[in-house]
Amino acid sequence: MNIITTTDALADVCAEAANEPFVTLDTEFLRERTYYAKLCLVQMALPGKGPERAYLIDPLAEGLSLDPLLELMRNKDVVKVFHAARQDLEIFFIDGGVIPEPLFDTQIAAMVCGFGEQVGYETLVKKIARAPLDKTSRFTDWSQRPLTEAQQRYALDDVTHLRQIYEHLKAAIDKNGRAAWVAEELAVLTSPETYISRPEDACKRVRTRGQSGKFMAMVRELARFREDYAQTRNVPRSRVFKDDALLELASTKPETIEALGRSRLLLREARRGEIAEGILEAVQQAQRLGPKDWPATADEGPPLQVNPALADLLRVLLKAKADSAGVAQRLIAPTSDLDAIAAGRRDVDCLKGWRAELFGADALRLCAGDLALAAKGQQVQVIEL
């Protein structure tokens, strides 16, 4: 198998790839014991049919620099093809300061080509490449060397079949004229903001409901400390303290080491040392804040007055439109958009752009009573009057 362990060999392959219209890529990494993913392997395949032009790039090889690969990622003339690219792109952005462009994500493309919601790679391999896929090596330790033959085959399969999948989906999108739909979804993946985790925004990941601004200030300061500590020391958030412990601390507001020791949910390691000091400081900082410095709560403003019958009809309409167009429902409108429309709001994404043409205009007519839905057996049809 083609395993690249030197910078010169990588430079030669990337120079060859620079003359191709596209390359397919995937990564293997570990993240269980760190905040940032540890890149263990990069797979890349150039156009072709067999494994001859597929390569395993070993970033753990002594002396190997990924600079030639990063330069290829910046090459605007070569499309970089991934499946479910978010975690792969995060690694390239965090480790190399680059987001591969132009980008093609086969999972997103499949959702606008009738393959359903969040379709997996194995499904596309079976339906498009008509090939089996051995996933037994998926959860192995990719940091161990040497790689087993099974690991190498698994890793290469993730990019060799991807070539055929890309060509099939690209042809379908060119034919149905939905390239703009895919580009809109890809814009999120190619934005650096997608991969930047700011400690001051960490509280948005903590699930709370019906809490006061004062309580949320405590959550924000504790989450800010945890995020900063985890990033600085490259440890998972859960190794600092978990969300349930964070919410307990926000409720009890401990001000001393002794009070901290009475926590039921805090890990033993967090009851002393730097983590304990950080928790107490975060609690004190939150206590010093006045109402004007508290974060906004989800409960501010009147709740949506959703018409449940209308919301149900919108769901039927969405399913009918999605099935008819062969597009995943999630790409057209999330449930929150449907509820907002049923509550009278008109500033939602599914009433804009291509979504408005496919679904939004009919949704508004439905709200106005100018469209009827009829169910015939198990087949739902949309009937415009």
Side-chain angles (χ1 to χ4, degrees), residues 284-297:
Q284 293 171 8
Q285 172 61 23
Q287 296 278 43
R288 289 192 290 266
L289 298 176
K292 65 182 180 62
D293 298 315
W294 294 345
T297 66

Side-chain angles (χ1 to χ4, degrees), residues 328-349:
Q329 294 182 47
R330 185 185 70 81
L331 286 186
I332 303 172
T335 299
S336 57
D337 276 11
L338 302 184
D339 289 342
I341 296 172
R345 287 181 51 184
R346 298 295 180 262
D347 58 344
V348 295
D349 288 343

Side-chain angles (χ1 to χ4, degrees), residues 26 39 55 102 131 153 158 167 204 211 230 241 257 273 305 325:
D26 190 30
L39 181 62
Y55 304 90
R153 285 194 301 271
D158 275 353
E167 292 171 335
K204 296 176 182 178
Q211 300 294 346
F241 47 82
I257 291 292
Q305 300 297 316

Side-chain angles (χ1 to χ4, degrees), residues 168-220:
H168 177 93
L169 293 175
K170 184 179 183 301
I173 289 169
D174 289 343
K175 182 177 180 179
N176 62 30
R178 295 177 179 175
W181 302 10
V182 175
E184 185 175 325
E185 295 296 318
L186 291 179
V188 176
L189 289 178
T190 55
S191 170
E193 287 297 315
T194 301
Y195 310 104
I196 297 174
S197 297
R198 295 182 174 86
E200 59 268 25
D201 296 329
C203 61
K204 296 176 182 178
R205 297 190 185 90
V206 182
R207 292 188 179 182
T208 60
R209 179 178 297 178
Q211 300 294 346
S212 67
K214 185 176 183 179
F215 179 85
M216 289 306 301
M218 193 68 67
V219 171
R220 181 182 63 191

Side-chain angles (χ1 to χ4, degrees), residues 26-33 38-43 56-60 134-158:
D26 190 30
T27 65
E28 305 299 338
F29 54 88
L30 296 179
R31 200 170 196 166
E32 290 79 9
R33 297 183 293 273
K38 177 183 179 181
L39 181 62
C40 298
L41 192 68
V42 180
Q43 304 99 282
L56 301 180
I57 303 164
D58 187 358
L60 303 183
D134 182 2
K135 303 292 284 187
T136 55
S137 296
R138 180 179 182 183
F139 296 111
T140 56
D141 186 347
W142 292 97
S143 67
Q144 295 295 315
R145 294 295 184 271
L147 296 172
T148 67
E149 288 190 11
Q151 284 179 307
Q152 294 177 44
R153 285 194 301 271
Y154 166 86
L156 286 175
D157 280 348
D158 275 353

Side-chain angles (χ1 to χ4, degrees), residues 49-240:
K49 296 297 183 183
E52 294 79 13
R53 304 187 80 198
Y55 304 90
L56 301 180
I57 303 164
D58 187 358
L60 303 183
E62 184 177 357
L64 183 140
S65 169
L66 290 178
D67 285 349
L69 179 63
L70 298 178
E71 187 60 33
L72 178 64
M73 296 300 99
R74 298 185 184 97
N75 189 329
K76 301 291 187 180
D77 295 326
V78 182
V79 176
K80 272 66 73 172
V81 182
F82 293 83
H83 180 83
R86 193 191 186 289
Q87 293 189 85
D88 305 304
L89 300 191
E90 182 179 10
I91 292 173
F92 281 111
F93 179 73
I94 297 297
D95 290 359
V98 62
I99 294 179
E101 289 189 85
L103 174 71
F104 191 97
D105 189 319
T106 55
Q107 185 177 72
I108 291 175
M111 286 195 286
V112 304
C113 291
F115 286 90
E117 307 272 342
Q118 302 289 343
V119 61
Y121 181 66
E122 185 175 8
T123 298
L124 294 182
V125 170
K126 289 180 179 178
K127 291 186 175 182
I128 295 176
R130 306 291 183 184
L133 197 63
D134 182 2
K135 303 292 284 187
T136 55
S137 296
R138 180 179 182 183
F139 296 111
T140 56
D141 186 347
W142 292 97
S143 67
Q144 295 295 315
R145 294 295 184 271
L147 296 172
T148 67
E149 288 190 11
Q151 284 179 307
Q152 294 177 44
R153 285 194 301 271
Y154 166 86
L156 286 175
D157 280 348
D158 275 353
V159 289
T160 52
H161 298 309
L162 194 56
R163 297 176 296 197
Q164 186 176 351
I165 292 169
Y166 164 69
E167 292 171 335
H168 177 93
L169 293 175
K170 184 179 183 301
I173 289 169
D174 289 343
K175 182 177 180 179
N176 62 30
R178 295 177 179 175
W181 302 10
V182 175
E184 185 175 325
E185 295 296 318
L186 291 179
V188 176
L189 289 178
T190 55
S191 170
E193 287 297 315
T194 301
Y195 310 104
I196 297 174
S197 297
R198 295 182 174 86
E200 59 268 25
D201 296 329
C203 61
K204 296 176 182 178
R205 297 190 185 90
V206 182
R207 292 188 179 182
T208 60
R209 179 178 297 178
Q211 300 294 346
S212 67
K214 185 176 183 179
F215 179 85
M216 289 306 301
M218 193 68 67
V219 171
R220 181 182 63 191
E221 297 307 316
L222 288 165
R224 185 205 303 265
F225 160 70
R226 180 178 67 173
E227 195 76 10
D228 183 68
Y229 186 95
Q231 289 182 358
T232 302
R233 291 154 181 82
N234 195 24
V235 296
R237 297 182 191 96
S238 61
R239 290 275 298 274
V240 187

